[in-house]
Amino acid sequence: MSVLVDEDTRVVVQGITGGEGKFHTEQMLEYGTNVVAGAVPGKGGQEVAGVPVYDTVDRAAREEDANAAVVFVPPAFAADACFEALDAPVDLVVAITEGIPTQDMSRVYRKLQETDTHLVGPNCPGVITPGVAKLGILPGNIFSSGNVGLVSRSGTLTYQVVDNLTERGLGQTTAIGIGGDPIIGTDFIDALELFEADPDTHAVVMCGEIGGEDEEDAARYIGANMDTPVVGFIAGRTAPPGKRMGHAGAIVSGSGTGTAQSKIDALENAGTPVGDTPEEVADHVENIL
Amino acid sequence: MKLHEYQAKRVFAEAGIPTPDAELAETVDEAVDAAESIGYPVAIKAQVQVGGRGKAGGIKLVDDADEAREAAEDILGMDLKGYHVDRVLVEEAVDFTNELYVGVTMDRGEGKPVAMVSTRGGVNIEEVAAEDPDAIAREHVDPAFGMHPYQARKAVFDAGVNRAVANDVASVLTTLYDLWEAKDGSDAEINPLMVTADDEVIAADAVMNIDGDALFRQPELAEMQEEAAEDDLEAKANDYGFDYVRLDGNVGIIGNGAGLVMTTLDLVDHYGGQPANFLDIGGGAKAERVTNALDMVFSDENVDAVVFNIFGGITRGDEVAQGINEALEAFDEIPKRVVVRLAGTNAEEGMEILNTDLVTVEKTLEDAVQRAVEYAEEDSQ
């Protein structure tokens, strides 16, 4: 078992004819992902890596039975691409694009509330169910199949933590990179809920970072609703207030909200151990399993 | 991206929000001329993007030409919390009976905009929010519709704004919301919005921060950014297109991906060192970006050692290694010792390419950070 992505996931890639879209379509196919279509306006009838391209997501979904979309569309057009996928509709949208204006995402988020679709991202590495399929840009070779669910706001930090897990023989059910933007679709709680309902996920690793209060909300959720044990990691302990640390969402506000310490405290109060280093995260998971 | 006060006021005034008479001045003579033509009393205000300008001596109220000259001489050229003041706004002093706060921002938890009004303007609103959250009336806006006029009125009445000015304040809030939306604002704020004895409202300060990701469709605002002078190293980072934040320590840090770079900073601290900076070279970096990144970190005189940590997804270890070699081979003597750790895509190829006469290679993140902390301690000036 896994969450969000399994053998039945049939993917349409939006922006498949662009550099990134093409490269990662090839990588996804190589990993075994069922990429069934591409969608690029005006490029219908072409093929990329043997995958048929359609002018619209709607057409791709109907002709090829696609039920998931991966968005590689440039930032200025990415919100429109998300609306197109939500309206198709597909069950899962993974938005890789970095740099989408926040007000655009606010409108997408509003639309999302009216649908049953899961949106992951934007500005995220994607979702992978090791050995089955990956949707996005995650390097498949560092993952291995197992019983640990992983949810993270950051791409390369996910790789670091997964590397530490895999090295100890701690494989993963599914890893979800939810993205570092201020407004995202699937948040920690949504992902934790999915893992809690998955009988094969025996432990969850949650990698958060400074900014916002999503980790605090997630800690409350864990305390009240989860039987599956969770291990935490929080990046940005040394971040000064008022400075944006790369991610648009990673900023400690002047009034002191969004600090690493408040997130670590919240998680520990919910009975969730927090690793000081990625290595320690693997230690905690090993102890639990 | 933050607009200066004078820029934000210009944008607000063009949209019809009342602002005081004001002129921008770059020299003492210009400032005195401006004060004479506006009429005393006037406020002379440093145009730098830091909070607490008044307390730091960056805002002075003057009553005649001599005082104006003295104040302009003091403020122009001063160092205000690390920022050089090269412009002042000379502004009509407003006689007020009351100070309000109005603002619009994105509530990231709710995923939607929120408009705010408070009768406790003129002070740090974040402190008010922390001490007495009920003193700020909040109205969430559905981004599909924009702010309905009733919502502006509701926020104004909920905040307890005096009836005599309620309509005018609601109208300012509506305009502010529309501006925020049209200009891709992240925050728009008037604090204080002054109320005069004859019940006029006037924006005595103006904050407008723009979503940097939306500048591609806000060309006039993107131009204003160039007028804003920044810290030299941060300006350099901007030119190179890096996410860079300067800190106080002596261990220089370069990495890929915000979360991993932050984690590297945290580990430096964990092992007893002090990070000198946050530098994210981003995804898919090629040799040239690597060279530029090293140049950035070497330019910081506080740096005593550097840790270079890459976990490749789209970024390829061999390309990073090549960039490191090229950058370091160009020096007769390498300015600071560099510790490199490569993992992920093509990491092994990268390790083989790296010139180990020039760098120290470590296999794990933990080892690399500990080594760099050691070097920084040994080489600290």
Side-chain angles (χ1 to χ4, degrees), chain A residues 24 76 99 101-104 106 109-110 154 156-157 159-160 182 233 235-238 240 245 249 254-255 277 279, chain B residues 108 111 126 142-143 145 180-181 185 211 213 216-217 247 256-257 259-260 263 265-267 269 278 311 314 341 366:
Chain A
H24 289 290
T102 308
Q103 292 197 18
D104 289 5
S106 163
Y109 186 81
R110 198 271 189 193
S154 158
T156 49
L157 176 58
Y159 310 161
Q160 174 67 46
F233 183 78
R237 294 166 191 241
T238 47
M245 305 299 271
S255 59
T277 66
E279 196 70 54
Chain B
R108 46 188 287 187
E126 289 192 331
D142 184 330
F145 295 110
W180 177 87
E181 189 185 73
D211 178 0
D213 287 333
F216 69 86
R217 61 186 178 200
L247 303 165
N256 66 326
L260 186 58
T263 300
L265 263 65
D266 295 348
L267 285 183
D269 179 71
F278 169 101
F311 206 118
I314 8 183
R341 182 264 183 155
E366 285 82 2

Side-chain angles (χ1 to χ4, degrees), chain B residues 1-52:
Chain B
M1 169 214 168
K2 292 178 178 176
L3 296 188
H4 280 295
E5 179 193 2
Y6 74 90
Q7 294 170 324
K9 276 192 171 146
R10 209 183 285 158
V11 172
F12 287 8
E14 277 167 16
I17 294 174
T19 55
D21 270 351
E23 278 177 46
L24 190 68
E26 293 183 9
T27 66
V28 173
D29 287 342
E30 277 175 27
V32 177
D33 287 350
E36 293 282 309
S37 79
I38 290 167
Y40 300 98
V42 297
I44 297 188
K45 304 163 94 174
Q47 296 300 290
V48 285
Q49 290 163 338
V50 289

Side-chain angles (χ1 to χ4, degrees), chain B residues 281-299:
Chain B
I281 60 170
K286 304 265 189 276
E288 193 195 346
R289 276 181 85 70
V290 171
T291 313
N292 291 345
L294 279 166
D295 176 49
M296 278 281 328
V297 174
F298 287 150
S299 312

